[in-house]
Amino acid sequence: MANRPIVHDIFEPRTSTWQYIVADPVTKAAIIIDSVLDYDSATNTVFTENAEVLLSLVQENDYKVEKLLETHMHADHLTASRYLQVQLQKSQASPPQICIGKRVSQVQEQFAMRYGISKQEYVNAFDHTFDDDDAFQIGQLEAKAIHLPGHTPDHLGYMIGSNVFCGDSLFNVDVGSARCDFPGGNASDLFNSVRRLLSLPDHYRIWTGHDYPPGGDVRKDPLPYYTVADQRKANKHLKDGVQEQEFVQWRRDRDVTLAEPRLMHQALQVNVRAGRLPQLSPSGDRLLHIPLKVRGEMW
Ligand SMILES: *[C@@H]1O[C@H](CO)[C@@H](O)[C@H](O)[C@H]1NC(C)=O
Ligand SMILES: [Fe+2]
């Protein structure tokens, strides 16, 4: 029988993000999925308190991190992948590769244009992009990148044994599904991606990208996964029996009411660069752009 992966689930409460370290028990090869770089909005400060937690776990367990995986271009948190890569290359013979889905280039182009980011800052920012259904190894574990478009067009899930790390393709049963109104998002695609996920065997674990409890706030005991059977029975938006048209209409009506993610501009400008910060300006600052909204008549 194939080895079962060791899964560490690490919740980042400021953005309600689930981060995962998945390791091969035999070789200690590991990957890190969807790491978070801390950001304080009040002072516009990035810091690495959360990333240090991940690095300690890696060190305590003597893991060799081969890949830093992103499920998609996140708009709600900044990725710590580049920071982790720089730190890990000090202690490992070879640095981990930062990886994402191949359609990231279309998302990068769109946001680079919006935020005025030069090509040299984002082309090849990722070390590797996965093709649909690419297989890869984590030590002796078999892994596969599965294309799950909908929330974003580049979105991947990572299947490792009977686990799928599905990012924002599916949330916990009482949270439901993610918005589909970002550029390239598509509720119809999300519906079909979720049907694909939920056609896996009943006992498969669907590890989610966030746990946003209904009603706001942070959940006291956030949950990292539900099984396929649980999701099919109880997902608030996408349980068995929900029709595509019904979901697409509902999602559309819902998405127009949602506010922009709190850290969207900061997150996208750093994530387009795979977690690198903007280069220093002549005055020695690292600058981000904030699109200004104007209430009332423009003067
Ligand atoms: C969403 O995707 C479906 C199928 O991939 C396509 O037919 C439809 O036109 C898309 N909708 C939008 C609004 O782009
Ligand atoms: Fe997301």
Side-chain angles (χ1 to χ4, degrees):
M1 208 178 89
N3 294 322
R4 293 178 54 162
I6 300 170
V7 178
H8 301 266
D9 52 55
I10 306 104
F11 192 67
E12 193 290 298
R14 290 186 186 91
T15 60
S16 298
T17 301
W18 275 113
Q19 314 161 99
Y20 299 101
I21 301 179
V22 185
D24 172 17
V26 178
T27 63
K28 303 270 186 175
I31 50 128
I32 301 179
I33 303 176
D34 288 345
S35 63
V36 176
L37 182 68
D38 300 300
Y39 189 93
D40 177 50
S41 303
T43 59
N44 295 314
T45 306
V46 288
F47 59 107
T48 59
E49 191 179 302
N50 167 75
E52 304 308 339
V53 172
L54 301 178
L55 290 171
S56 303
L57 253 163
V58 166
Q59 198 168 28
E60 281 161 27
N61 290 283
D62 203 21
Y63 292 147
K64 181 190 179 296
V65 181
E66 297 180 339
K67 291 182 168 62
L68 301 162
L69 303 179
E70 302 292 344
T71 53
H72 65 293
M73 180 67 57
H74 308 283
D76 52 28
H77 68 267
L78 288 68
T79 175
S81 281
R82 176 60 183 165
Y83 174 75
L84 293 173
Q85 183 180 50
V86 168
Q87 295 306 309
L88 289 165
Q89 75 189 9
K90 295 176 184 168
S91 55
Q92 297 188 172
S94 51
Q97 289 186 306
I98 305 176
C99 311
I100 197 164
K102 66 174 178 183
R103 291 175 190 77
V104 74
S105 56
Q106 118 195 19
V107 180
Q108 283 174 303
E109 272 165 34
Q110 209 149 15
F111 290 123
M113 196 184 309
R114 178 167 195 203
Y115 295 112
I117 300 171
S118 70
K119 270 198 154 44
Q120 72 191 47
E121 288 196 79
Y122 73 86
V123 173
N124 299 324
F126 292 90
D127 302 305
H128 181 73
T129 56
F130 289 113
D131 210 335
D132 300 343
D133 299 333
D134 262 354
F136 61 98
Q137 302 269 134
I138 307 164
Q140 298 175 5
L141 299 172
E142 303 286 341
K144 193 162 107 168
I146 47 183
H147 184 217
L148 299 172
H151 172 59
T152 64
D154 63 317
H155 206 300
L156 296 181
Y158 295 106
M159 178 144 59
I160 306 166
S162 54
N163 304 279
V164 183
F165 299 86
C166 82
D168 297 358
S169 298
L170 195 58
F171 289 146
N172 286 334
V173 297
D174 59 343
V175 184
S177 61
R179 64 197 299 171
C180 295
D181 60 339
F182 296 142
N186 181 315
S188 184
D189 288 347
L190 184 68
F191 182 90
N192 290 301
S193 293
V194 168
R195 281 355 290 172
R196 186 175 175 199
L197 272 176
L198 299 188
S199 66
L200 291 167
D202 275 356
H203 68 282
Y204 271 43
R205 291 178 178 185
I206 309 289
W207 301 79
T208 192
H210 295 281
D211 193 9
Y212 300 123
D217 267 356
V218 174
R219 210 198 294 269
K220 281 207 182 60
D221 299 302
L223 293 169
Y225 76 86
Y226 277 85
T227 62
V228 165
D230 294 335
Q231 287 282 8
R232 290 181 59 169
K233 198 178 334 155
N235 186 282
K236 193 172 157 181
H237 305 153
L238 288 161
K239 64 184 174 210
D240 282 0
V242 175
Q243 299 301 306
E244 178 170 342
Q245 219 30 56
E246 177 189 353
F247 173 73
V248 168
Q249 188 60 51
W250 176 85
R251 196 66 260 176
R252 194 175 296 147
D253 294 345
R254 172 66 186 250
D255 286 349
V256 298
T257 70
L258 299 176
E260 280 177 355
R262 194 166 43 85
L263 296 178
M264 183 175 81
H265 303 303
Q266 297 88 337
L268 289 171
Q269 289 172 78
V270 169
N271 296 345
V272 156
R273 298 166 162 106
R276 288 172 184 78
L277 300 179
Q279 290 165 2
L280 287 175
S281 73
S283 57
D285 293 306
R286 298 190 188 276
L287 300 172
L288 295 176
H289 292 272
I290 306 292
L292 196 58
K293 295 195 183 70
V294 178
R295 187 175 298 163
E297 200 182 323
M298 185 59 205
W299 62 93

